[in-house]
Amino acid sequence: MGDISNCSNGINNGNGNGNGNGNGIHGNGHSSVGGYRKSCWYEEEIEENLRWCFALNSILHTGVTQYQDIQLLDTKPFGKALVIDGKLQSAEIDEFIYHESLVHPALLHHINPKTIFIMGGGEGSTARELLRHKTVEKVIMCDIDEEVVDFCKSYLVVNREAFCDPRLELIINDARAELERKEECYDVIVGDLADPIEGGPCYKLYTKSFYESIAGPAGVFSHIEVFTCICNTLRQVFKYVVPYSAHIPSYADIWGWVMASDSPFTLSADELDLRMKQRIEGENRYLDGKTFTSASTLSKAVRKSLDNETHVYTEKSARFIYGHGKHNQA
Amino acid sequence: MGDISNCSNGINNGNGNGNGNGNGIHGNGHSSVGGYRKSCWYEEEIEENLRWCFALNSILHTGVTQYQDIQLLDTKPFGKALVIDGKLQSAEIDEFIYHESLVHPALLHHINPKTIFIMGGGEGSTARELLRHKTVEKVIMCDIDEEVVDFCKSYLVVNREAFCDPRLELIINDARAELERKEECYDVIVGDLADPIEGGPCYKLYTKSFYESIAGPAGVFSHIEVFTCICNTLRQVFKYVVPYSAHIPSYADIWGWVMASDSPFTLSADELDLRMKQRIEGENRYLDGKTFTSASTLSKAVRKSLDNETHVYTEKSARFIYGHGKHNQA
Amino acid sequence: MGDISNCSNGINNGNGNGNGNGNGIHGNGHSSVGGYRKSCWYEEEIEENLRWCFALNSILHTGVTQYQDIQLLDTKPFGKALVIDGKLQSAEIDEFIYHESLVHPALLHHINPKTIFIMGGGEGSTARELLRHKTVEKVIMCDIDEEVVDFCKSYLVVNREAFCDPRLELIINDARAELERKEECYDVIVGDLADPIEGGPCYKLYTKSFYESIAGPAGVFSHIEVFTCICNTLRQVFKYVVPYSAHIPSYADIWGWVMASDSPFTLSADELDLRMKQRIEGENRYLDGKTFTSASTLSKAVRKSLDNETHVYTEKSARFIYGHGKHNQA
Amino acid sequence: MGDISNCSNGINNGNGNGNGNGNGIHGNGHSSVGGYRKSCWYEEEIEENLRWCFALNSILHTGVTQYQDIQLLDTKPFGKALVIDGKLQSAEIDEFIYHESLVHPALLHHINPKTIFIMGGGEGSTARELLRHKTVEKVIMCDIDEEVVDFCKSYLVVNREAFCDPRLELIINDARAELERKEECYDVIVGDLADPIEGGPCYKLYTKSFYESIAGPAGVFSHIEVFTCICNTLRQVFKYVVPYSAHIPSYADIWGWVMASDSPFTLSADELDLRMKQRIEGENRYLDGKTFTSASTLSKAVRKSLDNETHVYTEKSARFIYGHGKHNQA
């Protein structure tokens, strides 16, 4: 879609907004009632039978990488949205819910997290949240798609500072290959990719003290797509596994994460709040101790599936989710 | 998603699963890639800038009442769906989340709930959940739209038994007018209507021992539409107020409820589970003690807004939500 | 939008226009345009980048055959619509344009058409138009999909009489195979299928005195998909070839047909009108002499492509159209 | 979808599929089949029950004028498209059909057209076609919305030359007011606005020798919206009236124009071709003698309505069309 990029110059905030000029002397019956309908839309197929559509302000940037198509859209309901291969990756107004939930629980439960490895994470938001931790000395972001990283570096203003942080080291490679190749040990490994095959835990990882698994849909129905399976697989690998979830408005679903370790997770809500105060620069917008307590207490329906789940990811077996949310992220 | 294919009634088998029907000798390139796209859709405007679309199996029934248009649709992702004035009211596969959450917490916290008044509730699902309580001797459903009640009586098979229960008494009237008219006292009053004006607590009600307020969107963003306001208003009226929330997939949002009383809510998760066992016929699919504990522990963002909310509903002032979910239900 | 924010109050009685139903006390902002926005839609992908959507009244019937999925929809803009494999085949309010144009020109130009062979035509409308000709003694409809024929027989009321006409003989077979198998000679052969491969003339046919080819899009742009190619191929086979076209509103395009023979087409508009009077029962709604004169005088752009077309259909080579209109009809 | 790309006829080059980018190692089941679906769309409500949707490459420019909202979109099926108040005004790939049909017939039938007045026409395409006539010495474009004119001047490259032509004079005013104010007489007046009220002929105009009325939908069904009414009204005002029509793909309909004068229209197709050769710079893409002959021979259905039309536009009475095509153009 190279032809798009030359045309991309989105400067259009709230077109069709407010002015009521739909009612000028040339107004017709349609525009004379509350303005004409929105005419430009982003449409995502959450499932084959389910669509989610955002009115568009503009198409800010588009690009094509070796692996994927990327778009940065300016949407009316969710602000700037990163779209890869036609799937929403993250949206300006609620990505903080996703990334605070992905990053902080594992780091806070660790005594003293210094070195972090991100599987994927090219968008930069995961690194941004990690780098808020005062204890963190080194963050390795290992993403397979350099052009996605460059795209996000140039256009996602909110992560610019993180991309420039001297503690961040970028490696372009397949995350698992990289982990298997290296002898190094990390305090925490964060999986910021949702492809269930890669999401399935790498058995080489159980020497690591902490592992924050990749996320997946965790709604009353959607959780059975991959979430229970990721949990169950991590249970085979780690002594202690804590699944938790949160609603991401722009995904139109509950999202779930799994935190796993060989040491127990024993912090109370208040202890979490205290550690946040001590260790994290700035204030979280979404996550605090109470929020995590609630997030890690799953509903009856989801707990039931988790108990009954028998499927385990292996190199060969994997469940797929219908391209959704961070599904395609490199 | 097996659970979802369960509710597709098989009318349209060529549902893009590569079954080959889309792909006969006349098949074209389009249908040869996993079946042609769905061609019939239900489309709802959740907000002016946000749409939610379900593939359709069929349009089962349609009707027009004195107040509203009603449709019973058979949707692929959410099964049979009741739509009033173009807004989804409830969907076969997840209405249990809404109605279990609306009904059971208040009744379980009451020592011995015998007489219940439903403001609205013409759909019948709220009555159905109430009547599962062994202590309940009388349920008065007061809905303004008789034809909606009749429509649901004839078409919502799942509620047929409830509609026939001798303990159910149906009154066609405006719920508030009815409550103000009568001298009677009820053990619990359930507001099964989302119109904020009607949802705003009726001051005549604070003599009642329990009041279960109407619900509203309670997502990280949407909760400020009406939810915090309902909470705050009830705080002016009742000594004890407990807001809680749950994700309703077919609403594409978190929904919130408020439980209010002049006696404290002190039950633990285990005590709730015990009472459910003792008092409720059959098993809940969504709600149990742990689920309620989690549901009533709101996220940081929502708690913050609740603390800062100053707006109070009065006869004159009210906030409105963009027609959504149960919004239009009589 | 200033004007919208008035309507962003979910109940919006404010928006005037009183379609009572959409606009009772629960009326919403969309009532303003003849009731709230339509919520059920039929959506067709005319091309990958172009969609055509009709508001739905209902989904009347659906079925699955050995070859195809069938739906009979009740659409608001075009009445009852026959949809096969997700593509509109014909719509109640304008199929007469298609079928009058397909059938009458060839029959009228023939001295005395008695025996007609329809390649495809399972819908029955082509037979219906043919049987209006007093000279016609026998119509053979050869369709490969018996269940489509049965479906149309039961549900397309407008063709019921035709299906019962003793002059109609139904054969379930591949039309070309059937023509090649049989020794019989027909006065006119009508191709009522749009699959270009089958649309490409069968070389066995040039002994027949008349041949009415299958149609295809014939718009200023779309005509190059198959129309010029069909024309050009027929030019290799027949001495005289007359392409003509008409706009079919429900197809959102101009449609084209080709009439071919080894005897010249010499009738004037008045002579055509006279023959219609003499030979056709009832009055045409679309076609008359002048209409045909205009229809067979193509625009400069289309004539140019016809002159420049060099591609010829063979068993091996064929152009395809993006599933559209009668594309999938057996 | 190889067959499909065969049939993409240059209209949609940037259809982003088949580039394999949707198939990187992160590709999912959906994107792995010939590219994921288009995700950005322009959607137009042709009627309340009928929608027309174009895949978007980008939103090039947007603006708000005193009267209207303007957008310049880059659409996949129709190229750059000018949208005013949410309605398509003209599209890059087929506006030539509209403007050649609007301008040339009237000018060619005039003996020696020197001074032309355009009612509206701010887009510039009408002026562009007029200025191709060697006889034309002065073109007055009278549009009410200066900002639309400026927007088109800056962004519609194809009309840049016309906007700079010394023979073009721009007046910002209501076209009718201007015509009534001035004493001047013009050889031809072209109405390039589709608001039926303004489209209704101004009685002050019948002294002018030629009048080219505004256009309107002229499909087998849509022509009764305004087209027959415009014709009938002009019949009251001028001795000779010639209606004609053409299909505009991006409007999804046939469009009609009316040419009126007090001297007869007697040119044959060949005479028209000759005059085009003599008078018009460059070659027409759509219109020639034969095309006009066909275009001015209307179908039976439309002729019938024209004969039966009794409605006449006056200052007070007017019919409206559902905002469509050039409806809102200033």
PDB file of all heavy atoms in Angstrom, chain A residues 50 68 118 161 163 167 180 214 265 268 303:
ATOM      1  N   LEU A  50     -18.352 -10.549  13.959  1.00  0.00           N
ATOM      2  CA  LEU A  50     -18.406  -9.427  14.889  1.00  0.00           C
ATOM      3  C   LEU A  50     -17.478  -8.325  14.399  1.00  0.00           C
ATOM      4  O   LEU A  50     -16.305  -8.561  14.142  1.00  0.00           O
ATOM      5  CB  LEU A  50     -17.961  -9.931  16.263  1.00  0.00           C
ATOM      6  CG  LEU A  50     -18.176  -9.059  17.480  1.00  0.00           C
ATOM      7  CD1 LEU A  50     -19.652  -8.715  17.650  1.00  0.00           C
ATOM      8  CD2 LEU A  50     -17.667  -9.798  18.712  1.00  0.00           C
ATOM      9  N   GLN A  68       4.812  -6.854   7.642  1.00  0.00           N
ATOM     10  CA  GLN A  68       3.468  -6.370   7.965  1.00  0.00           C
ATOM     11  C   GLN A  68       3.172  -5.025   7.317  1.00  0.00           C
ATOM     12  O   GLN A  68       4.066  -4.313   6.918  1.00  0.00           O
ATOM     13  CB  GLN A  68       3.344  -6.230   9.493  1.00  0.00           C
ATOM     14  CG  GLN A  68       3.644  -7.495  10.250  1.00  0.00           C
ATOM     15  CD  GLN A  68       3.991  -7.229  11.706  1.00  0.00           C
ATOM     16  OE1 GLN A  68       3.201  -7.501  12.584  1.00  0.00           O
ATOM     17  NE2 GLN A  68       5.163  -6.652  11.936  1.00  0.00           N
ATOM     18  N   ILE A 118      12.185  -8.006  26.904  1.00  0.00           N
ATOM     19  CA  ILE A 118      10.840  -7.917  26.305  1.00  0.00           C
ATOM     20  C   ILE A 118      10.803  -8.763  25.039  1.00  0.00           C
ATOM     21  O   ILE A 118      11.588  -8.541  24.112  1.00  0.00           O
ATOM     22  CB  ILE A 118      10.463  -6.478  25.919  1.00  0.00           C
ATOM     23  CG1 ILE A 118      10.706  -5.508  27.077  1.00  0.00           C
ATOM     24  CG2 ILE A 118       9.016  -6.416  25.447  1.00  0.00           C
ATOM     25  CD1 ILE A 118      10.508  -4.042  26.671  1.00  0.00           C
ATOM     26  N   GLU A 161      10.459   9.337  24.655  1.00  0.00           N
ATOM     27  CA  GLU A 161      11.433   9.393  25.738  1.00  0.00           C
ATOM     28  C   GLU A 161      11.982   7.995  26.014  1.00  0.00           C
ATOM     29  O   GLU A 161      13.200   7.799  26.117  1.00  0.00           O
ATOM     30  CB  GLU A 161      10.756   9.953  26.987  1.00  0.00           C
ATOM     31  CG  GLU A 161      11.682  10.641  27.965  1.00  0.00           C
ATOM     32  CD  GLU A 161      10.884  11.249  29.109  1.00  0.00           C
ATOM     33  OE1 GLU A 161       9.936  12.021  28.809  1.00  0.00           O
ATOM     34  OE2 GLU A 161      11.176  10.919  30.269  1.00  0.00           O
ATOM     35  N   PHE A 163      12.196   5.440  24.050  1.00  0.00           N
ATOM     36  CA  PHE A 163      13.082   4.978  22.972  1.00  0.00           C
ATOM     37  C   PHE A 163      14.486   5.578  23.116  1.00  0.00           C
ATOM     38  O   PHE A 163      15.465   5.005  22.642  1.00  0.00           O
ATOM     39  CB  PHE A 163      12.493   5.309  21.593  1.00  0.00           C
ATOM     40  CG  PHE A 163      11.521   4.289  21.079  1.00  0.00           C
ATOM     41  CD1 PHE A 163      10.188   4.626  20.842  1.00  0.00           C
ATOM     42  CD2 PHE A 163      11.927   2.985  20.818  1.00  0.00           C
ATOM     43  CE1 PHE A 163       9.280   3.688  20.359  1.00  0.00           C
ATOM     44  CE2 PHE A 163      11.036   2.043  20.328  1.00  0.00           C
ATOM     45  CZ  PHE A 163       9.713   2.400  20.100  1.00  0.00           C
ATOM     46  N   ARG A 167      19.048   3.099  29.070  1.00  0.00           N
ATOM     47  CA  ARG A 167      18.916   1.743  29.631  1.00  0.00           C
ATOM     48  C   ARG A 167      18.265   0.773  28.641  1.00  0.00           C
ATOM     49  O   ARG A 167      18.266  -0.432  28.853  1.00  0.00           O
ATOM     50  CB  ARG A 167      18.089   1.790  30.927  1.00  0.00           C
ATOM     51  CG  ARG A 167      18.752   2.553  32.064  1.00  0.00           C
ATOM     52  CD  ARG A 167      17.802   2.717  33.234  1.00  0.00           C
ATOM     53  NE  ARG A 167      16.679   3.619  32.896  1.00  0.00           N
ATOM     54  CZ  ARG A 167      15.575   3.750  33.634  1.00  0.00           C
ATOM     55  NH1 ARG A 167      15.428   3.015  34.732  1.00  0.00           N
ATOM     56  NH2 ARG A 167      14.641   4.602  33.281  1.00  0.00           N
ATOM     57  N   GLU A 180      17.029 -18.353  23.471  1.00  0.00           N
ATOM     58  CA  GLU A 180      17.680 -19.669  23.477  1.00  0.00           C
ATOM     59  C   GLU A 180      19.166 -19.523  23.176  1.00  0.00           C
ATOM     60  O   GLU A 180      20.004 -20.231  23.703  1.00  0.00           O
ATOM     61  CB  GLU A 180      16.981 -20.597  22.480  1.00  0.00           C
ATOM     62  CG  GLU A 180      15.573 -20.985  22.961  1.00  0.00           C
ATOM     63  CD  GLU A 180      14.711 -21.592  21.849  1.00  0.00           C
ATOM     64  OE1 GLU A 180      15.246 -21.911  20.766  1.00  0.00           O
ATOM     65  OE2 GLU A 180      13.485 -21.720  22.070  1.00  0.00           O
ATOM     66  N   ILE A 214       2.454 -13.599  27.799  1.00  0.00           N
ATOM     67  CA  ILE A 214       1.702 -12.793  26.835  1.00  0.00           C
ATOM     68  C   ILE A 214       0.233 -12.800  27.207  1.00  0.00           C
ATOM     69  O   ILE A 214      -0.224 -13.687  27.932  1.00  0.00           O
ATOM     70  CB  ILE A 214       1.883 -13.363  25.427  1.00  0.00           C
ATOM     71  CG1 ILE A 214       0.523 -13.586  24.757  1.00  0.00           C
ATOM     72  CG2 ILE A 214       2.755 -14.518  25.376  1.00  0.00           C
ATOM     73  CD1 ILE A 214      -0.051 -14.972  24.927  1.00  0.00           C
ATOM     74  N   PHE A 265       3.723 -15.544  45.106  1.00  0.00           N
ATOM     75  CA  PHE A 265       3.277 -14.152  45.001  1.00  0.00           C
ATOM     76  C   PHE A 265       2.477 -13.846  46.257  1.00  0.00           C
ATOM     77  O   PHE A 265       1.352 -14.296  46.396  1.00  0.00           O
ATOM     78  CB  PHE A 265       2.407 -13.963  43.767  1.00  0.00           C
ATOM     79  CG  PHE A 265       3.110 -14.260  42.475  1.00  0.00           C
ATOM     80  CD1 PHE A 265       2.941 -15.483  41.853  1.00  0.00           C
ATOM     81  CD2 PHE A 265       3.967 -13.339  41.901  1.00  0.00           C
ATOM     82  CE1 PHE A 265       3.582 -15.750  40.648  1.00  0.00           C
ATOM     83  CE2 PHE A 265       4.612 -13.609  40.695  1.00  0.00           C
ATOM     84  CZ  PHE A 265       4.420 -14.826  40.078  1.00  0.00           C
ATOM     85  N   SER A 268       0.160  -8.102  49.532  1.00  0.00           N
ATOM     86  CA  SER A 268      -1.220  -7.625  49.698  1.00  0.00           C
ATOM     87  C   SER A 268      -1.404  -6.361  48.852  1.00  0.00           C
ATOM     88  O   SER A 268      -0.432  -5.774  48.372  1.00  0.00           O
ATOM     89  CB  SER A 268      -1.461  -7.263  51.163  1.00  0.00           C
ATOM     90  OG  SER A 268      -0.706  -6.086  51.462  1.00  0.00           O
ATOM     91  N   ARG A 303     -12.788 -18.906  36.072  1.00  0.00           N
ATOM     92  CA  ARG A 303     -12.100 -19.835  36.981  1.00  0.00           C
ATOM     93  C   ARG A 303     -12.431 -21.278  36.635  1.00  0.00           C
ATOM     94  O   ARG A 303     -11.554 -22.140  36.596  1.00  0.00           O
ATOM     95  CB  ARG A 303     -12.498 -19.542  38.430  1.00  0.00           C
ATOM     96  CG  ARG A 303     -11.944 -18.221  38.943  1.00  0.00           C
ATOM     97  CD  ARG A 303     -12.002 -18.087  40.453  1.00  0.00           C
ATOM     98  NE  ARG A 303     -13.167 -18.721  41.047  1.00  0.00           N
ATOM     99  CZ  ARG A 303     -14.340 -18.112  41.288  1.00  0.00           C
ATOM    100  NH1 ARG A 303     -14.503 -16.840  40.932  1.00  0.00           N
ATOM    101  NH2 ARG A 303     -15.329 -18.749  41.852  1.00  0.00           N
TER     102      ARG A 303
END
